[in-house]
Amino acid sequence: QVQLVESGGGLVQAGGSLRLSCAASGSIFSITTMGWYRQAPGKQRELVAIITSGGSTNYGDSVKGRFTISRDNAKDTVVLQMNSLKPEDTAVYYCNAQRPITPYDYWGQGTQVTVSS
């Protein structure tokens, strides 16, 4: 069992910055990839950023150059630094953890990010 707890969401002005954190607990040694996805009303859930246990990263096209994903420590916390925020970044952001055994995915409850113009 893996539990994911998100923090750091809130309201920020366009052009500002926000930092999201996701803390994992439970069977954390089985996790191979952690990351963030987001979903706005009327839109599909989309990739924001992921990072593997080996340190490889991947970003959604809409956030490349503005967002950075990193591990705040070696095992149980992932941080998403969001800079140059735009109103179109407004969404619920979900932390995600993947592993090679079932269940393959775990999700956090989501945290609201709102960017005002």
Side-chain angles (χ1 to χ4, degrees):
Q1 197 81 3
V2 175
Q3 183 181 18
L4 304 174
V5 179
E6 300 127 324
S7 62
L11 174 66
V12 66
Q13 297 93 337
S17 298
L18 205 60
R19 185 187 299 246
L20 304 183
S21 295
C22 177
S25 61
S27 300
I28 59 175
F29 297 115
S30 65
I31 297 172
T32 58
T33 302
M34 292 187 67
W36 293 89
Y37 293 73
R38 69 186 184 186
Q39 188 167 22
K43 298 186 66 176
Q44 298 283 340
R45 186 171 298 186
E46 66 176 354
L47 168 71
V48 177
I50 56 173
I51 185 167
T52 71
S53 58
S56 298
T57 60
N58 193 28
Y59 296 90
D61 289 341
S62 63
V63 307
K64 287 180 179 177
R66 299 188 296 121
F67 293 6
T68 303
I69 189 168
S70 63
R71 290 175 294 194
D72 198 45
N73 58 51
K75 59 182 180 65
D76 65 354
T77 302
V78 170
V79 172
L80 181 70
Q81 178 66 46
M82 304 186 293
N83 298 324
S84 302
L85 283 162
K86 306 174 181 179
E88 48 263 48
D89 294 318
T90 296
V92 178
Y93 285 68
Y94 296 92
C95 184
N96 170 261
Q98 299 181 19
R99 61 182 194 170
I101 58 175
T102 187
Y104 299 110
D105 289 277
Y106 288 92
W107 293 91
Q109 67 182 36
T111 185
Q112 177 70 47
V113 171
T114 302
V115 184
S116 62
S117 60

